[in-house]
Amino acid sequence: AQSVTQLGSHVSVSEGALVLLRCNYSSSVPPYLFWYVQYPNQGLQLLLKYTTGATLVKGINGFEAEFKKSETSFHLTKPSAHMSDAAEYFCAVSGPAKRGSNYKLTFGKGTLLTVNP
Amino acid sequence: DTAVSQTPKYLVTQMGNDKSIKCEQNLGHDTMYWYKQDSKKFLKIMFSYNNKELIINETVPNRFSPKSPDKAHLNLHINSLELGDSAVYFCASTKGNYGYTFGSGTRLTVV
């Protein structure tokens, strides 16, 4: 079984400040990890993903995340927040790709990021 | 050139009615999903189809019935709608395990 815990349902930062959204996971198999962003009244857009290899992954819009196996974490960061970053962010976990696997994604409960001018 | 498209975008209906939501993807993906997002934004998987075969069926009331006529389409039919069915329903697709592509959602309101 897999699960995701996102610490903090709401994070508020000032424009230009560091963004840090926390995600911890639980998985009995090597995890594939994802961050998605959801803007109001829209679907989810993939920000970045970790599958294997380099543990620091870069995504769109200047976001990056680091997979830390020892801490079972996959925190999302951005050096400088923009007003346009205000949205709901979801961390998700899946198992490794296997032929015939269902690739089920289990999501965290989301973190709402607000950016203050 | 929409990748995953859902129709309708909004659906308002009375309790007890039967309704369908349609989903189509033009990405050549072989696995499609339905997720439900509740009022607290929590996303929960409902169903998954791989090449028209049902492979995930979570604990969803049997009033919900998915149907996949081909691997590019996954529809969701809901019988006897209840107030608690009000939510946003997302269709998604994937090829392999490299991240889903989501549709823009169908906001269902049962009154």
Side-chain angles (χ1 to χ4, degrees), chain A residues 4-6 21-25 33-37 73-76 89-93 105-111, chain B residues 43:
Chain A
V4 172
T5 301
Q6 290 183 240
L21 304 182
R22 299 177 186 275
C23 172
N24 288 89
Y25 70 90
L33 294 157
F34 306 83
W35 275 100
Y36 284 84
V37 60
S73 69
F74 190 58
H75 302 331
L76 182 71
Y89 290 81
F90 294 93
C91 182
V93 65
L105 264 185
T106 299
F107 285 88
K109 292 188 175 182
T111 298
Chain B
L43 282 152

Side-chain angles (χ1 to χ4, degrees), chain B residues 5-34:
Chain B
S5 60
Q6 294 180 231
T7 54
K9 190 171 176 65
Y10 299 96
L11 185 53
V12 181
T13 187
Q14 290 187 326
M15 275 196 307
N17 284 351
D18 303 338
K19 290 294 178 185
S20 292
I21 306 172
K22 296 187 175 184
C23 179
E24 175 181 6
Q25 55 95 3
N26 62 4
L27 298 166
H29 290 171
D30 50 15
T31 307
M32 296 184 72
Y33 305 82
W34 280 111

Side-chain angles (χ1 to χ4, degrees), chain B residues 26-87:
Chain B
N26 62 4
L27 298 166
H29 290 171
D30 50 15
T31 307
M32 296 184 72
Y33 305 82
W34 280 111
Y35 273 78
K36 179 180 180 181
Q37 186 174 46
D38 62 24
S39 58
K40 295 185 178 179
K41 302 282 190 180
F42 183 58
L43 282 152
K44 185 169 168 52
I45 192 168
M46 300 173 70
F47 302 103
S48 173
Y49 271 76
N50 180 270
N51 283 323
K52 302 193 298 176
E53 180 184 353
L54 180 66
I55 54 173
I56 296 177
N57 185 349
E58 295 288 299
T59 50
V60 177
N62 58 15
R63 298 182 295 104
F64 290 79
S65 53
K67 190 161 286 186
S68 181
D70 56 60
K71 73 173 191 178
H73 295 85
L74 179 61
N75 303 323
L76 183 65
H77 188 76
I78 315 169
N79 288 326
S80 303
L81 278 155
E82 301 177 356
L83 292 176
D85 298 331
S86 295

